[in-house]
Structure formats: structure tokens, C-alpha cells
Amino acid sequence: MNEASSAVTSAVAARRQALREQAVFRREALADDERERLERRIETHLDTLCADLAPRVLAFCWPWRGEADLRPWVARWLAGDAGRVAALPVVVERHRPLAFRRWVPGMQMALDRHGIPHPAGGPELRPDLVLVPLNAFDAQGYRLGYGGGYFDRTLAQMDTVAAGVGFELGRADSVWPQAHDRPMEWLVTEAGVFRAGGRSRRP
Ligand SMILES: Nc1nc2c(c(=O)[nH]1)N(C=O)[C@@H](CNc1ccc(C(=O)N[C@@H](CCC(=O)O)C(=O)O)cc1)CN2
Ligand SMILES: Nc1ncnc2c1ncn2[C@@H]1O[C@H](COP(=O)(O)OP(=O)(O)OP(=O)(O)O)[C@@H](O)[C@H]1O
């Protein structure tokens, strides 16, 4: 890489890092009642998305650093049909794709290397819809996570539908996507369900 292109690369990396930090900071600063109001609206829009896509195995994330808490909604979704299965991601190893294991409300959890709870055991599942947390995101469906590249690696090798879920406070004109980034097919925020730029596939 020459000097000019490496300067561009590091400027883009700095911009992405700033967008990521700003989104997490704003989210963590939400007042409890405002967060709950936004979460209720997100739940309504998840109902719409899942009525449309009808997943059987649905992956979501345990709430971390002010992310929307989807657990009550997932528990209700599970109760709606005995054939439904929920899954949580497991960080198996740094720089490796995530695995998914079954989550049952109230089950005992273990902590991963980042301190995020996950199911301690059970077979690996293949979710047909993955709800991916958004820090910053753009209308094309590109997102920024925590910089680990876990979802990028995971979605790159999985035949599944990805829906980013987050708050409008993380919306940016562009998150400056990189070659490895795969856009979400759907975005769900308190403002609604949006078809984004990802591959058009159904579970
Ligand atoms: N709730 C939730 N669970 C999740 C994710 C998520 O986005 N949200 N993940 C989605 O991927 C995975 C965990 N991803 C993580 C990625 C990086 C860091 C982290 O601490 N990163 C360092 C900087 C990067 C590095 O050097 O590795 C840091 O913030 O200091 C933590 C978790 C699996 N579980
Ligand atoms: N499919 C992939 N194969 C190999 N490396 C990858 C892949 N996807 C991402 N990476 C690497 O992971 C690192 C982090 O990527 P990025 O900044 O996009 O993370 P992120 O989207 O914020 O994190 P996450 O996906 O965990 O939420 C980058 O250095 C990138 O090169």
C-alpha cells in the first residue's frame, strides 16, 4: 500500500471507530423510560418481520452495552408456537466465526471471553434468521459492531437471512463499508422495518 492509500485507510478506520463509539455512548445515555418506549416499538416491528419471514430457528443477542433487550420479546415469540427455537451466539475463539446454541428462557448461562452470557452447551444450530445488533448503521444495511469482525465472518459463511436491530440514534449517512462487510437484508429500528441492500433470500 502506498502512503496516500494508507492515509485514506486509517482515516476511514478512525471515522468508523468514531461512529461506533458515538452510537454506543448515545445508547448508553438513554433514560430508562425512553429506552423502554423504543424497545416496545422495536418489538412491534419484529412481530411484523417475523410474521412475514416465519423463521423456525431465530438467533438474537443477549443485551450488551445498552443494546435493545430482546429477551422478553423472544420469550413471547417462543411461546407462540412449540416448534420455534431461539439461539444465541457463542464466541468460540477470537478471529473465528460465531457458533449458535439453543436458548431457553431462564436457562443457566456461561460468560464468554468478552463477559457476554451464552448457553454453556448443546448442539450447534443453523438459524434461518439472525437478529444482528447495530451500533452505527446506514440505509444500505451496512453496520458497525464492536470491531471484532465476528458477525462479518459468521454471515460470510452462513446461508441465512440477517436483520440488523438497533436504535435510530445509530443511523449514519454511511458507515464506510469495507470489502469484508456484508449488508443486512433488513433493518429494524423504533421507526420501522426497512428493506436494506443485502441479498434477497428468505428463510
Ligand atoms: N449482545 C451482543 N452479543 C454479541 C455480539 C454483539 O454485537 N452483541 N457480538 C458481535 O460480534 C459477539 C461479541 N463481539 C464482540 C466483539 C468485540 C468485543 C471487544 O471487546 N472488542 C474490543 C476491540 C476489538 C478487539 O481488539 O478485539 C474492544 O471493544 O475493546 C467484544 C465483543 C457475540 N456476542
Ligand atoms: N469474512 C471475514 N474474514 C476474515 N476477516 C474478517 C472478515 N470479516 C471481518 N474481518 C476482520 O475483522 C475485523 C473487524 O471488522 P469490522 O470493523 O467490520 O467489525 P464489526 O463489524 O464492527 O464487528 P462484528 O462483526 O463483530 O460486530 C477487521 O479487521 C476485518 O478485517
Side-chain angles (χ1 to χ4, degrees):
M1 202 184 286
N2 65 32
E3 232 170 83
S5 68
S6 109
V8 169
T9 305
S10 52
V12 168
R15 184 75 194 114
R16 280 163 66 87
Q17 185 59 20
L19 284 169
R20 177 184 278 130
E21 282 171 11
Q22 190 180 50
V24 174
F25 180 84
R26 286 188 187 160
R27 189 173 70 201
E28 289 184 327
L30 284 172
D32 287 351
D33 57 343
E34 174 68 354
R35 166 188 306 284
E36 277 163 33
R37 193 179 69 80
L38 300 180
E39 284 174 343
R40 295 295 84 75
R41 290 173 62 181
I42 287 172
E43 289 177 348
T44 307
H45 301 312
L46 286 174
D47 282 335
T48 305
L49 182 72
C50 286
D52 186 20
L53 299 182
R56 302 305 289 176
V57 181
L58 171 70
F60 72 109
C61 279
W62 194 268
W64 198 54
R65 302 196 64 186
E67 290 167 351
D69 184 356
L70 304 184
R71 291 172 298 175
W73 176 81
V74 172
R76 287 200 299 277
W77 176 81
L78 283 172
D81 184 325
R84 293 175 179 169
V85 171
L88 283 169
V90 181
V91 174
V92 183
E93 224 181 299
R94 211 158 169 245
H95 306 311
R96 300 291 306 155
L98 300 161
F100 292 94
R101 292 190 194 138
R102 185 171 192 169
W103 176 71
V104 176
M107 79 188 287
Q108 212 185 327
M109 306 289 279
L111 295 185
D112 71 14
R113 58 182 303 129
H114 302 292
I116 305 176
H118 64 86
E124 253 189 60
L125 300 179
R126 293 171 152 274
D128 35 36
L129 175 62
V130 182
L131 303 180
V132 183
L134 303 169
N135 290 332
F137 64 97
D138 62 30
Q140 282 67 51
Y142 289 103
R143 63 174 275 281
L144 293 175
Y146 297 100
Y150 289 112
F151 271 112
D152 295 323
R153 287 190 182 84
T154 309
L155 296 172
Q157 55 147 47
M158 259 178 92
D159 188 18
T160 189
V161 175
V165 181
F167 301 114
E168 283 291 324
L169 57 74
R171 190 183 285 273
D173 288 341
S174 170
V175 299
W176 297 88
Q178 305 298 286
H180 62 255
D181 286 325
R182 174 192 148 175
M184 303 290 105
E185 278 99 60
W186 303 91
L187 293 170
V188 179
T189 72
E190 70 272 20
V193 179
F194 305 92
R195 193 82 175 84
R199 283 173 283 177
S200 172
R201 266 193 318 215
R202 291 180 156 257

